[in-house]
Amino acid sequence: MVICVTGKIATGKSTVSQFFAQRGFEYINVDKLGHIAFEMNKENIKQTFGTCDRKEIAKIVFADPQKLKLLESIVHPTMMRLLKDELETRKGKDIVIEAAIKRRLGIDCCDITITVVCDKKVIKERLKERYDEDLVEEILERQSDIEPEGIVIENNSSLEELQSQLEKIYQQIKAKG
């Protein structure tokens, strides 16, 4: 079984994914594949954007939708190749894939999709130590295509509440078998 966990930044995708990993699912983080794909395409990125510093690239692409599309055209094909390889090596096992931009990447190997959602103010609160508010707004704007699909989990409250929701979902998945 392949479960895909999707959602916007700071909604709790990693926590949800780790819940399943702790129950024996093999874990694939598409963000990590993106970092590898970035490194593999560093020269092309530097030629295209004048830098290959990830923080600088983030500022450039989150401020301009066309530049984001350009970066994606460079790294997404590599990410999908890496994902395909990861899936191939885990064939026949239960897998959880954490992929914020599942739909944008065209990931279609999921038996179940779980979308983690939360209020914008909760996202901003979770990110206030990491990013300034303007960057958070830009990131959320660029993630506007991340729409709820499959099983939707609202994660606005405590970790205990999230765990309780996940336990119910896990039991339903196990029962279906």
Side-chain angles (χ1 to χ4, degrees):
M1 171 178 298
V2 178
I3 298 175
C4 290
V5 179
T6 190
K8 295 180 181 181
I9 190 170
T11 54
K13 295 178 302 297
S14 295
T15 303
V16 171
S17 298
Q18 288 308 311
F19 174 90
F20 288 98
Q22 289 164 1
R23 281 149 187 82
F25 282 70
E26 297 274 326
Y27 173 63
I28 300 172
N29 184 323
V30 173
D31 259 2
K32 295 272 186 283
L33 299 181
H35 294 285
I36 295 166
F38 188 96
E39 290 300 315
M40 291 170 72
N41 289 284
K42 233 175 176 170
E43 283 308 310
N44 191 354
I45 291 167
K46 188 169 185 165
Q47 287 177 340
T48 305
F49 293 98
T51 180
C52 57
D53 178 88
R54 289 197 43 233
K55 287 189 178 191
E56 287 301 310
I57 294 292
K59 287 179 190 169
I60 293 166
V61 301
F62 286 121
D64 182 341
Q66 291 312 114
K67 292 210 167 93
L68 178 60
K69 283 188 186 329
L70 183 57
L71 178 64
E72 289 174 344
S73 74
I74 296 168
V75 296
H76 283 186
T78 305
M79 288 171 71
M80 289 305 290
R81 257 193 332 277
L82 292 169
L83 177 60
K84 186 178 177 213
D85 292 348
E86 291 283 332
L87 290 168
E88 194 59 40
T89 63
R90 293 170 165 86
K91 202 172 198 117
K93 296 182 179 178
D94 288 334
I95 300 168
V96 61
I97 300 171
E98 180 181 341
I101 57 171
K102 171 190 173 276
R103 188 179 293 141
R104 198 181 311 163
L105 280 167
I107 297 172
D108 60 2
C109 60
C110 312
D111 298 308
I112 296 172
T113 296
I114 297 173
T115 305
V116 190
V117 298
C118 67
D119 295 338
K120 194 173 183 177
K121 69 178 187 343
V122 175
I123 292 172
K124 287 181 176 182
E125 180 63 28
R126 290 175 181 165
L127 293 175
K128 71 180 184 188
E129 302 297 319
R130 285 176 35 201
Y131 303 114
D132 71 49
E133 196 169 336
D134 289 342
L135 183 57
V136 172
E137 284 292 337
E138 288 171 358
I139 292 169
L140 289 172
E141 194 174 311
R142 300 298 166 255
Q143 291 187 336
S144 63
D145 63 325
I146 300 173
E147 294 288 328
E149 61 179 297
I151 299 168
V152 179
I153 297 175
E154 198 170 289
N155 184 23
N156 285 314
S157 59
S158 69
L159 187 56
E160 293 77 26
E161 172 61 31
L162 178 61
Q163 293 286 341
S164 172
Q165 290 182 68
L166 290 170
E167 197 55 58
K168 288 175 189 158
I169 291 166
Y170 180 67
Q171 294 307 325
Q172 290 171 350
I173 290 169
K174 271 182 43 179
K176 287 181 184 172

